Amino acid sequence: ETGPAGSVIRIQDRGFAPMPATVQVETASGSLLEREIPVERWLAGETVVEIRIPAAAGPVVRVEIDPRGVLPDVDRTNNVWRRSDREEG
């Protein structure tokens, strides 16, 4: 979700083994931002965590969960989101 204040990225817990998560965000300028979701958020019962990226960082074009592939994951195909042309305007 993108608005005047920036972008909101929603990360959903889809598994049964709570773990901390690294989220890598790429902006249109090519800058890479990393955000950490501590395991305590999932253990507290949250199933969706929001990450806010300020507008000054630029448009978000790609988001990847666990970019280094260090966590066990039964389906890595759902770890990457890319902005499509349809979403840009």
Side-chain angles (χ1 to χ4, degrees):
E1 172 181 317
T2 302
S7 299
V8 177
I9 300 164
R10 290 180 184 87
I11 305 298
Q12 182 179 12
D13 178 13
R14 293 185 172 183
F16 298 103
M19 295 187 188
T22 299
V23 179
Q24 185 178 73
V25 179
E26 182 179 347
T27 64
S29 69
S31 295
L32 296 177
L33 311 169
E34 280 199 359
R35 300 294 188 262
E36 297 290 329
I37 301 173
V39 69
E40 291 80 12
R41 302 282 300 265
W42 309 124
L43 292 175
E46 292 182 61
T47 57
V48 176
V49 173
E50 291 187 348
I51 298 171
R52 299 188 181 277
I53 305 297
V60 173
V61 296
R62 185 175 186 278
V63 177
E64 183 171 4
I65 301 169
D66 188 26
R68 292 172 198 82
V70 297
L71 299 176
D73 192 339
V74 296
D75 182 9
R76 292 193 187 280
T77 64
N78 63 6
N79 288 4
V80 177
W81 171 88
R82 290 179 181 83
R83 178 179 296 280
S84 71
D85 293 336
R86 291 176 298 182
E87 296 173 274
E88 289 192 29

